Amino acid sequence: MNIILLIIQREYLTRVKKKSFIIMTILGPLLMGGLIAGFAYLSMNQGDSISMIRVVDETGVLAGKLTNSKTVIFTKDTMPIQTARHLFNPNTDYGILYLPANTLQKPDATVLYTEKQPNLTVVGYLESELSKNIENMKLTDAGIQKSTLDSIKTEISLQQKPVDPSGKDKSFSAGVTAGIGFGAGLLIYMFIFMYGIQVMRGVIEEKTSRIVEVIISSVKPFQLMMGKIIGIALVGLTQFLLWIILTMAISGTATSLIVGKDQSKLMEMQQKQMTQSSNIPKETMQPASMDFMKIFEGFNITKILLCFVFYFLGGYLLYSALFAAIGAAVDAETDTQQFMLPITIPLIFAYVVSTIVMTNPESELGYWFSIIPFTSPIVMMVRMPFDPPLIDIAISMVLLVAGFIFTTWIAAKIYRTGILMYGKKPTYKELFRWLFYK
Amino acid sequence: MNLLSIREVSKIYANHKALDSVSIEIPESSVFGLLGPNGAGKTSLIRIINQITGPDGGSILFGGQTLNPSHISAIGYLPEERGLYKKMEVGEQAIYLARLKGLSRADALKKLRYWFEKFEMQSWWRKKVEELSKGMQQKVQFIVTILHEPRLLILDEPFTGFDPINANLIKDELLGLRQKGTTIILSTHRMESVEELCTHIALINKSKKILDGQVKDVRKQFRSNLFEIEYKGTSVGFANALWTGFELVETRTQDDHAFAIVKNLNNSSANDLLRQLLNDVEVISFRERIPTMNDIFIESVQNNKPLEA
């Protein structure tokens, strides 16, 4: 078996079998899934409890028109507001809705008295019920039919499309596009840091346990370094893959467990609420979800995915070689600070730049940082959903490969000398000299 | 025939010369002691033989061929700074290291079984290295070094960390390997093991070879020509008995015995000396003082005069 494969195998297996790997792999999705499930649970819970609202109606017309929902039940009170507040029973009542006599003219005068900070859903429902009914009454007063109004009402959701000379009908939505690019960039940023540091730790471990001289009497230092870098890259890919699968599985099952049978009812209810509250006919609601699908059709998913994998690996390889060199130069992790700085600065820079590029993908800044190999894996991914010119991508990719070869060459030189040096922490001058040792 | 020919090898680091045109011939099936004070350049030379670093000048022949990566699997190396992956299981790790040297998994397993049984270490197989004592780790390391049956074995301070019983066990294994034809380079500061094991030595000091050759020749070369004599009689009588060619260096009396140290000035034999003495004193014991490797080491390094045997 090829020596480098052997090293990759060891690096991969020892890490994947570690308890911390298994715990992190399970814990990550549990946290993510838990978060998603938690949201579902909370939104369900809000729906479950019933809020009794006593209505003190001085207008005499409104209270009768308010309709109960699944969670909000109105009861009409005939007593004056002072007495009602006096008799308020927090055990049975959620709050008192006070509608003064001039509500129709001055709707802002209405008050909801509650014991605790009121629930936003309840407040939202009350507000929509009131405004809907007051609106209807005003319409009637003005002699306008509700159906007339509905036909006049116009909702516009602006379609956003790139100018494409090929005539293909693409569409995009700035928000989602930027989000996808930024998310991908962020993922690469995290991956480089998490696994780059693992490479560095691995090198330090070999150095401090003094096994390194035994090993490099059998293999070339370069083989050992590359074996470690590739092995850890595979660990990272495995973990991400498992996270994605497990997160989907956990959030899926958890949500369905919590929401369960109620799910359909919930959706039905939500829909009813929406139609009730906004008075928008069902048809006008369709385009929102349609838009969302169109966005995905709009850009080339395969292209983005391929580029993601390329920049993901390219960025990692470029930096992990440098991390390996740092590990070789020092004796202990506490000594790494000084050498970490030049590596972290371009990474953090790339992150900061990408927040700017996200809002302005065609800027000069975005162009240069997506070309320079040290920042391109992150910044180019942020630009990617905005369809940067192919030539930009090509230059950036070629430079990234060249950059990766360059850093690996430098790192290998430092690594080779560093792993056999113990004692004093080297200076930058010494590191530079190591590049020229035979 | 020489297994290894080191020819005028030099190694220069930024601020000092680690090896200055060192030439050493290492015969097949020898136990070759590579000696020298700390920082003399031994480790640099060993690393060059292992192709961990390259020489800045000179060349090395291994079995007649220029040293190249194909020789790696023919060399076993136990560095002075040695260790194992602490979190890895002993057996798994031994297999890994053996496979790096080119053994197949099955071969490695078969050979490891043999050695683990021989050294009664079977119960360690599934333990993590960090659970073993230092001596146990050294044993594992020794086995891993010799497992692939290298033609050349390079051991740097192999006995550190071993108790006397285990050190003897290792010594016996080394002698056994030598008998099977393995060439062994032994770098150590323990001169008694050099005397016990080595057939040849080379002494490196301040990046230069200052002495090499067969152990018996080196010792002959360092003969002090001193004789220790225990006798009955007076020291005056003893002094009178000595003719030309011999010089009385030291004498001392104890009860009815006396001791004397006599230096041979020209190449007279021990018998000449005895003959001179026999008429005047009663000789109780007589022996030539032969320098130990320790003496040779100290004398050579302190004088640091380049000598060739």
Side-chain angles (χ1 to χ4, degrees):
Chain A
M1 194 181 185
N2 190 326
I3 291 273
I4 209 160
L5 281 180
L6 205 61
I7 297 169
I8 293 171
Q9 190 189 40
R10 192 203 83 88
E11 296 293 339
Y12 181 79
L13 287 180
T14 49
R15 283 187 172 73
V16 170
K17 278 196 227 154
K18 255 193 207 161
K19 271 197 205 97
S20 57
F21 177 84
I22 297 165
I23 290 171
M24 270 304 284
T25 305
I26 295 170
L27 218 60
L30 268 184
L31 284 175
M32 282 302 292
L35 219 61
I36 295 169
F39 275 125
Y41 178 76
L42 281 180
S43 61
M44 271 312 290
N45 248 14
Q46 278 178 357
D48 273 338
S49 67
I50 288 168
S51 309
M52 295 284 277
I53 305 289
R54 311 194 78 92
V55 185
V56 178
D57 182 14
E58 290 177 359
T59 63
V61 284
L62 261 173
K65 291 204 158 105
L66 297 172
T67 41
N68 294 337
S69 81
K70 223 186 147 183
T71 52
V72 181
I73 292 174
F74 298 101
T75 45
K76 205 175 157 190
D77 259 347
T78 44
M79 59 190 93
I81 179 67
Q82 298 304 332
T83 331
R85 281 172 71 180
H86 198 67
L87 291 176
F88 181 73
N89 178 3
N91 293 324
T92 53
D93 302 336
Y94 186 84
I96 305 167
L97 180 65
Y98 173 50
L99 306 171
N102 61 349
T103 302
L104 286 175
Q105 292 76 40
K106 222 180 140 202
D108 285 348
T110 53
V111 184
L112 175 67
Y113 294 97
T114 53
E115 198 205 12
K116 295 173 288 184
Q117 176 74 30
N119 184 326
L120 281 180
T121 353
V122 173
V123 174
Y125 182 70
L126 293 186
E127 281 171 353
S128 75
E129 270 298 293
L130 283 173
S131 58
K132 182 183 74 183
N133 284 301
I134 293 171
E135 232 174 70
N136 282 347
M137 284 166 74
K138 281 181 179 168
L139 283 175
T140 324
D141 285 354
I144 302 169
Q145 289 282 307
K146 195 174 169 296
S147 54
T148 322
L149 183 75
D150 284 345
S151 65
I152 294 170
K153 238 182 202 167
T154 317
E155 281 272 323
I156 290 193
S157 154
L158 199 61
Q159 288 193 54
Q160 302 160 37
K161 292 183 183 179
V163 186
D164 191 341
S166 70
K168 262 191 259 165
D169 197 20
K170 297 185 200 166
S171 55
F172 53 59
S173 154
V176 182
T177 319
I180 285 172
F182 190 70
L186 196 65
L187 220 55
I188 291 175
Y189 173 81
M190 274 168 53
F191 185 80
I192 290 175
F193 256 114
M194 276 168 62
Y195 291 94
I197 283 174
Q198 279 218 32
V199 171
M200 188 181 80
R201 286 211 182 110
V203 174
I204 293 176
E205 183 209 344
E206 273 165 358
K207 208 179 157 184
T208 51
S209 73
R210 313 263 158 152
I211 195 175
V212 70
E213 197 164 348
V214 175
I215 291 182
I216 59 168
S217 70
S218 311
V219 308
K220 286 207 180 80
F222 182 74
Q223 290 173 316
L224 180 60
M225 186 179 93
M226 284 319 287
K228 187 176 287 296
I229 288 173
I230 297 169
I232 290 174
L234 294 178
V235 174
L237 287 176
T238 310
Q239 187 153 59
F240 268 118
L241 205 68
L242 285 176
W243 272 352
I244 291 168
I245 294 170
L246 283 176
T247 304
M248 290 198 309
I250 288 175
S251 57
T253 40
T255 315
S256 65
L257 265 183
I258 293 166
V259 180
K261 299 167 275 178
D262 291 340
Q263 197 163 25
S264 53
K265 281 186 196 164
L266 177 80
M267 277 170 65
E268 192 182 300
M269 190 188 79
Q270 278 174 338
Q271 216 156 40
K272 209 165 90 190
Q273 262 182 18
M274 275 204 277
T275 14
Q276 277 175 348
S277 56
S278 57
N279 266 336
I280 302 169
K282 263 189 181 168
E283 301 81 61
T284 53
M285 281 177 59
Q286 294 297 75
S289 54
M290 292 270 284
D291 274 355
F292 200 70
M293 292 313 293
K294 258 195 221 153
I295 290 160
F296 282 100
E297 284 164 22
F299 36 71
N300 192 336
I301 290 284
T302 359
K303 189 176 103 190
I304 289 189
L305 265 178
L306 284 178
C307 286
F308 177 71
V309 172
F310 181 87
Y311 283 108
F312 192 74
L313 289 177
Y316 164 80
L317 289 174
L318 180 100
Y319 277 100
S320 60
L322 293 176
F323 276 109
I326 294 178
V330 300
D331 281 356
E333 214 177 319
T334 44
D335 291 340
T336 55
Q337 295 297 339
Q338 179 198 351
F339 298 118
M340 285 280 279
L341 201 64
I343 296 190
T344 29
I345 283 176
L347 271 176
I348 291 170
F349 221 75
Y351 176 75
V352 173
V353 166
S354 58
T355 55
I356 304 167
V357 172
M358 191 167 64
T359 50
N360 192 0
E362 299 308 323
S363 61
E364 192 96 333
L365 189 77
Y367 173 76
W368 286 108
F369 280 92
S370 61
I371 293 293
I372 299 167
F374 287 89
T375 51
S376 67
I378 296 164
V379 180
M380 190 50 107
M381 269 330 285
V382 178
R383 275 185 72 193
M384 194 55 68
F386 300 98
D387 263 330
L390 269 179
I391 181 77
D392 285 14
I393 301 179
I395 293 175
S396 153
M397 281 184 166
V398 168
L399 282 180
L400 184 59
V401 172
F404 146 63
I405 292 169
F406 175 69
T407 58
T408 310
W409 178 79
I410 285 196
K413 295 262 177 187
I414 293 175
Y415 179 86
R416 207 187 48 176
T417 309
I419 43 174
L420 293 173
M421 294 272 182
Y422 293 99
K424 200 173 78 70
K425 192 167 71 170
T427 60
Y428 278 110
K429 203 172 139 195
E430 279 167 297
L431 289 186
F432 184 72
R433 246 192 243 135
W434 291 359
L435 297 183
F436 304 103
Y437 281 167
K438 237 190 199 173
Chain B
M1 193 211 150
N2 292 330
L3 178 69
L4 203 67
S5 300
I6 297 160
R7 294 180 177 170
E8 300 189 350
V9 163
S10 295
K11 179 79 189 171
I12 297 147
Y13 290 112
N15 26 28
H16 80 287
K17 222 170 190 179
L19 290 170
D20 187 358
S21 170
V22 170
S23 297
I24 297 172
E25 296 290 323
I26 298 178
E28 187 105 52
S29 297
S30 60
V31 178
F32 196 99
L34 190 59
L35 314 178
N38 296 322
K42 287 170 294 171
T43 305
S44 294
L45 182 60
I46 288 175
R47 283 182 182 162
I48 290 170
I49 299 172
N50 275 302
Q51 303 175 62
I52 291 171
T53 50
D56 290 312
S59 63
I60 293 180
L61 298 185
F62 185 94
Q65 289 175 297
T66 307
L67 192 67
N68 65 58
S70 73
H71 295 130
I72 283 174
S73 57
I75 300 177
Y77 176 39
L78 186 67
E80 184 181 6
E81 296 286 2
R82 53 185 172 255
L84 297 163
Y85 288 111
K86 289 189 171 61
K87 307 267 178 208
M88 231 175 144
E89 283 175 14
V90 173
E92 190 191 347
Q93 177 150 214
I95 291 175
Y96 174 64
L97 293 172
R99 291 179 76 191
L100 286 184
K101 279 287 185 192
L103 288 184
S104 72
R105 194 186 174 83
D107 260 4
L109 205 60
K110 205 174 78 191
K111 286 184 170 144
L112 281 168
R113 247 188 226 130
Y114 166 79
W115 284 103
F116 270 60
E117 207 167 298
K118 186 165 186 184
F119 283 2
E120 291 171 7
M121 307 164 26
Q122 294 101 317
S123 61
W124 306 356
W125 189 264
R126 289 203 64 91
K127 280 195 174 142
K128 282 190 178 163
V129 168
E130 59 189 351
E131 294 169 48
L132 301 184
S133 74
K134 193 171 177 225
M136 290 161 139
Q137 293 184 21
Q138 299 278 359
K139 252 174 157 174
V140 174
Q141 205 127 34
F142 179 77
I143 291 175
V144 168
T145 311
I146 61 170
L147 198 71
H148 61 291
E149 292 162 10
R151 276 176 80 187
L152 176 64
L153 199 55
I154 303 174
L155 308 172
D156 200 345
E157 293 293 355
F159 301 111
T160 48
F162 281 120
D163 58 48
I165 296 168
N166 278 313
N168 275 333
L169 193 75
I170 301 297
K171 248 175 233 167
D172 291 345
E173 286 308 325
L174 289 181
L175 291 173
L177 285 169
R178 195 209 147 194
Q179 233 139 48
K180 283 184 209 155
T182 310
T183 308
I184 300 167
I185 297 179
L186 185 68
S187 170
T188 180
H189 289 132
R190 287 170 50 162
M191 291 304 148
E192 72 277 8
S193 19
V194 175
E195 276 170 9
E196 251 177 286
L197 294 168
C198 292
T199 56
H200 297 69
I201 62 147
L203 184 56
I204 295 178
N205 188 34
K206 294 181 184 157
S207 338
K208 287 189 170 139
K209 182 188 74 181
I210 56 172
L211 174 72
D212 71 345
Q214 286 201 38
V215 170
K216 57 177 195 227
D217 295 337
V218 170
R219 288 183 121 177
K220 213 179 274 171
Q221 187 195 334
F222 275 79
R223 255 165 94 162
S224 52
N225 284 316
L226 290 177
F227 295 94
E228 292 174 44
I229 303 144
E230 192 184 357
Y231 62 95
K232 267 184 185 165
T234 64
S235 53
V236 182
F238 187 89
N240 287 341
L242 288 179
W243 297 54
T244 49
F246 294 99
E247 183 194 310
L248 184 60
V249 178
E250 196 186 320
T251 172
R252 119 188 100 87
T253 358
Q254 189 179 6
D255 303 333
D256 55 339
H257 286 217
F259 299 90
I261 295 172
V262 171
K263 191 169 174 70
N264 185 353
L265 294 177
N266 40 42
N267 278 331
S268 315
S269 72
N271 282 4
D272 290 336
L273 177 57
L274 268 175
R275 235 174 264 128
Q276 287 180 23
L277 293 174
L278 286 175
N279 302 325
D280 296 86
V281 296
E282 187 188 340
V283 174
I284 294 171
S285 76
F286 180 96
R287 80 179 183 97
E288 187 179 352
R289 186 188 269 182
I290 295 168
T292 58
M293 284 313 296
N294 217 21
D295 299 332
I296 296 173
F297 184 94
I298 292 168
E299 196 189 322
S300 312
V301 169
Q302 277 172 353
N303 296 341
N304 199 4
K305 44 187 177 188
L307 286 171
E308 297 264 349

